[in-house]
Amino acid sequence: MSRTAASMSWFLWLLTRWLLSALSLLLLSIVGRQMGLEVAQAIVCSRWGALSDKSLYQDGDVIIGGLFNLHYIPSAGEQSFTKLPHYEPCNGLDLQPLKYTYAMVFAVEEINSNSTLLPGMKLGYHILDSCGRYPWALQGALSLVGGDTHSCNLTTSMPRSAAYEQPGETAGNHPVPLLIGAAASTTGIMLSSILGPLSVPVISYLASCPCLSDRTKFPNFFRTIPSDIYQARAMARLAIRFNWTWMGAVVVNNDYGQLATQVFQEEIQGKGVCLEFIETVSRETIFNDARRAALTIQASTARVILIFCWYTDVKKIFQELAKINVTDRQFLASEAWSTSDDLLQDLAISKVANGVLGVAIRSSTIPGFEKYLKSLHPIHRHDDEFLRDLWQKEFGCSPNSSPLKTMSDHPSDVSTSSPAKGSLQKPSLPPCSGTESLEELQHPFTDTSQLRVAYNVYLAVYAAAHALHSLLSCPNRDSPPGNNSSTCSSPKHIKPIELLQHLNKVNVTTPQGEMFYFQGADIPAKYDIVNWQNTDEGPLKLVLIGRVDGFDLHLNESAIQWSTGSNQVPVSVCSESCPPGTRKANRKGEPLCCFDCIPCAEGEISNKTGSLHCERCPSEFWSNVEQTACVPRQLDFLSFNETLGITLTTAAVSGAKVTTAVFVVFLCYRQTPMVRANNSELSFLLLLSLKLCFLCSLVFIGRPSVWSCRFQQAAFGISFVLCISCLLVKTLVVLAVFRSARPGAGALMKWFGPGQQRGSVGLFTSIQVIICATWLSLSPPVPRHDLGFQGSKVTLECAMHSVVGFSLVLGYIGLLACTCLLLAFLARKLPDNFNEAKLITFSMLIFCAVWVAFVPAYVSSPGKYVVAVEIFAILASSYGLLLCIFAPKCFIILLRPQKNTKKHLMAR
């Protein structure tokens, strides 16, 4: 966890760089000690500044170092950069890091009592308080690695052993070959970079920055906490699993927050999850930042808020949210604050924090640790400054008074770097009675039900112990010392680079049987998923509801209590998921998670929620009304049952009946001049052909079949040719009669006698019969499903396989019609009473107009309306011929019989 006890400002970074320059002489002496080099000349150096006078030390054959942020960060004073920087002393004991410290002490004592791990040698420790200050952490690390001396005197050509083992060395002067520390990633980067040239291993229990996994930059760094990559991935998978597509984020303005947010965004990329906002907070300006973040959360439409911050920052944010009564947000917590007792016990923010879902460092148990913590007492560890501070804080008394000291008859080998009288104590506190104890105290310090960071410290100590065991193990220990000197290392002459090599390949087994190893700098990722739930007592409780093992997420969703107080998963979306039958359409200028739902077009479907695209149905299928499924198209054709079919059928039958009626009238009055004067035989044949034209349109209505498709076009083509042929012959006869009246033209009529007229009609009609027979025999029309028209219905039509054949049929009809129109036009000025030319001309004009308009209408009409257009053209032209030619005659025959005389017809 890349948390910092205090955020570094720029001038502190500059100060640290200046500090490195000031410590260059000390670092040179450390290099000489660690690498066994000889110093060429006498160098007298002194350590800059003074560390905190509080430390914890136990002597041993091998000493391992520890750095913990045991006190709150003091306020930063102004630095002039013209003299040595000044910091206020640390104060305010932090109990959680104190528990981590005693986890290290407990692990060392447990290892010393183990006869199989590091047999025959004693492991010691030297623990310092870095107070959350980067310069102090650096200074403490160099002090531990170089030996805690205020000055050094390296004589010319002095070997390392002579310079290192000076007589009169006090406790704590031994350099450590390994350091357990770095409670922040920034501290881990700094310590690993500084101690890297010395090959001193640094094992962190909290630094989780992904950058520290880079072995090329940090070859001496190890950690017992997973990289933040796994944490951010786990949180992203939680968001994806619960379909939280619209979230907000509040992150601390350092490597921890920025890198975790970056990994989170990479993980949700392309998964439909967006961050509405990212608010950053800094420790130096936390009050203003917390207020700004709270107002942003209040104004946001996101109901789930991701927070990558330290618990103290989160507390300020929650307090601001409580002030403005924002209690309906679901918070997703990083491991930096997901298990904070300080937040769980704070009733003022319980309504805001209720239902928090978070990723936590995996919890475990350390057998005997709770008993060890409760047995701690200044009477047994009278030189333990940290324990003395704990007594002052929790019991409000001073353990340095004489009553307590007189009860102590158990001197401890644990010592501090200064006597008790030098400690920072409250002189106004009353003396302790000696009966104070942690045994009956219900306190977070003694609570070992869910050990997380403390367990990481415990694992770090065991990793160090196993590496030392591997380094100090001699395969030929029973041989004379001279024979195995090359393969054995002495506890007094451990080289950090050798320890580093063994740490890289160590396999750790704890007393509980847990096994782990380092994969580079990291250990296999394991997390807990925790939930903050209400209790009857008031404070929130921490409930384990799942685990993360590597990339696998195991979750008991039924055990989760959400911020709403129910088991219903909160909804946090910018736009509701598009239902089936619609697709997403991104809004211009807005994130991908904000979209509109557009219904699918006809013939397209989407059968799942949140579809990005609509899929087109296969050609034989069409979308249903809901646009959610493709259904087979309904078969469609012009039937007798639908309105259009009934209308056209009625018109055709009516035309046939009218034609029959005219035929009957002409038959009854066949001896009258009106009928006889206009070639009664051709008139009857014309009426018969018109009746066939009306009736042939009925063949086009109904379900197409093989024979109906063939018959309809043949009937249409032959009927109309028969009709036009009769009109053409009639026109020719009229012209011939008036031409024969001229001198020398009498022989013309012999070519237009009754036989010749019938023969001409038969000849013209037989040509159409030949065209139709040839067409229908070579490439006849056949029934076909027309899939070209996009709709819910598929048209069953007669497909023209041969456009040439159909064109010839229509072309021949058009040729006869145009010829007839031209001849009738030439005969229009002949005597009206005897001449049909005008009637034929007008009827032919209507006929040609109808069929000229038919072509574009036929081509552009969809589906069954193609058939309707052709039927309409047949009926319109048939009615035009019938009415234009026979209506005037019937009017005279039936209503004006006085005009139906030869005298009247012969009149000019």
Side-chain angles (χ1 to χ4, degrees), residues 13-89:
W13 281 107
L14 295 173
L15 178 61
T16 304
R17 299 178 70 87
W18 176 83
L19 174 63
L20 295 180
S21 300
L23 291 173
S24 59
L25 289 178
L26 178 58
L27 184 59
L28 179 59
S29 68
I30 294 171
V31 173
R33 290 186 178 189
Q34 295 290 351
M35 304 303 293
L37 301 176
E38 294 185 358
V39 183
Q41 60 184 13
I43 299 175
V44 179
C45 57
S46 62
R47 189 179 66 200
W48 166 80
L51 288 170
S52 170
D53 59 352
K54 296 180 181 180
S55 66
L56 203 58
Y57 179 82
Q58 176 175 288
D59 198 10
D61 298 319
V62 178
I63 309 295
I64 59 175
L67 276 177
F68 297 92
N69 299 330
L70 291 167
H71 289 83
Y72 298 146
I73 302 167
S75 59
E78 294 228 3
Q79 309 295 343
S80 64
F81 294 95
T82 60
K83 58 182 179 180
L84 295 179
H86 171 73
Y87 297 99
E88 295 296 328

Side-chain angles (χ1 to χ4, degrees), residues 234-517:
M235 299 176 80
R237 291 184 181 185
L238 285 174
I240 295 170
R241 177 163 182 163
F242 294 118
N243 198 29
W244 292 330
T245 61
W246 191 237
M247 302 174 64
V250 180
V251 301
V252 63
N253 191 19
N254 60 13
D255 289 342
Y256 173 65
Q258 293 170 358
L259 290 174
T261 306
Q262 178 182 344
V263 174
F264 181 86
Q265 290 179 307
E266 290 174 354
E267 190 69 16
I268 64 175
Q269 188 173 7
K271 306 292 177 57
V273 180
C274 304
L275 292 180
E276 180 183 5
F277 64 87
I278 301 178
E279 286 287 340
T280 57
V281 297
S282 300
R283 183 64 54 84
E284 294 84 359
T285 57
I286 185 58
F287 290 100
N288 292 332
D289 291 348
R291 189 177 302 110
R292 186 189 71 250
L295 293 175
T296 302
I297 293 172
Q298 183 186 35
S300 168
T301 57
R303 287 295 176 265
V304 177
I305 310 299
L306 174 71
I307 299 185
F308 280 105
C309 292
W310 181 236
Y311 77 93
T312 53
D313 304 328
V314 177
K315 188 170 185 177
K316 297 294 183 184
I317 297 171
F318 280 2
Q319 288 172 349
E320 293 295 330
L321 289 172
K323 290 179 183 178
I324 57 179
N325 196 31
V326 178
T327 59
D328 60 342
R329 298 301 193 271
Q330 176 67 47
F331 292 97
L332 195 56
S334 67
E335 42 79 29
W337 64 277
S338 61
T339 58
S340 171
D341 287 326
D342 192 17
L343 297 177
L344 287 165
Q345 301 300 321
D346 193 339
L347 296 178
I349 61 174
S350 60
K351 289 186 178 180
V352 177
N354 175 42
V356 165
L357 190 67
V359 177
I361 301 171
R362 53 90 180 268
S363 62
S364 189
T365 59
I366 304 177
F369 186 48
E370 182 179 11
K371 182 179 179 181
Y372 174 80
L373 290 177
K374 290 185 175 182
S375 67
L376 293 175
H377 201 287
I379 198 172
H380 302 137
R381 307 171 69 94
H382 59 271
D383 288 331
D384 190 335
E385 291 285 340
F386 305 127
L387 194 58
R388 188 178 295 113
D389 287 349
L390 174 63
W391 239 249
Q392 292 176 5
K393 180 177 181 178
E394 299 302 325
F395 298 110
C397 64
S398 174
N400 295 326
S401 58
S402 56
L404 186 144
K405 284 185 177 181
T406 56
M407 296 174 63
S408 175
D409 58 351
H410 301 283
S412 172
D413 59 351
V414 177
S415 63
T416 61
S417 61
S418 65
K421 64 182 180 179
S423 63
L424 293 172
Q425 62 186 43
K426 299 179 178 65
S428 60
L429 294 178
C432 294
S433 64
T435 60
E436 296 83 0
S437 173
L438 298 174
E439 289 285 348
E440 304 300 329
L441 188 66
Q442 295 295 328
H443 195 274
F445 177 73
T446 58
D447 181 14
T448 61
S449 59
Q450 290 188 347
L451 295 175
R452 301 183 188 277
V453 181
Y455 189 70
N456 288 350
V457 176
Y458 182 78
L459 291 180
V461 176
Y462 265 90
H466 277 78
L468 286 169
H469 183 86
S470 175
L471 175 62
L472 299 175
S473 295
C474 295
N476 301 314
R477 184 170 292 277
D478 297 333
S479 303
N483 295 338
N484 62 359
S485 59
S486 60
T487 59
C488 296
S489 297
S490 169
K492 297 296 183 182
H493 298 85
I494 291 179
K495 296 179 180 180
I497 190 171
E498 295 178 347
L499 184 59
L500 177 62
Q501 293 170 354
H502 284 268
L503 198 59
N504 273 312
K505 54 187 178 181
V506 71
N507 284 317
V508 180
T509 303
T510 65
Q512 293 78 45
E514 180 179 356
M515 298 181 63
F516 76 92
Y517 57 91

Side-chain angles (χ1 to χ4, degrees), residues 770-782:
I770 293 172
I771 294 174
C772 291
T774 305
W775 173 31
L776 297 180
S777 61
L778 295 179
S779 181
V782 292

Side-chain angles (χ1 to χ4, degrees), residues 229-230 233-234 237 267 525 547-554:
I229 289 179
Y230 299 97
R233 285 176 177 171
R237 291 184 181 185
E267 190 69 16
R547 294 189 181 276
V548 177
D549 189 359
F551 292 102
D552 298 328
L553 177 64
H554 307 281

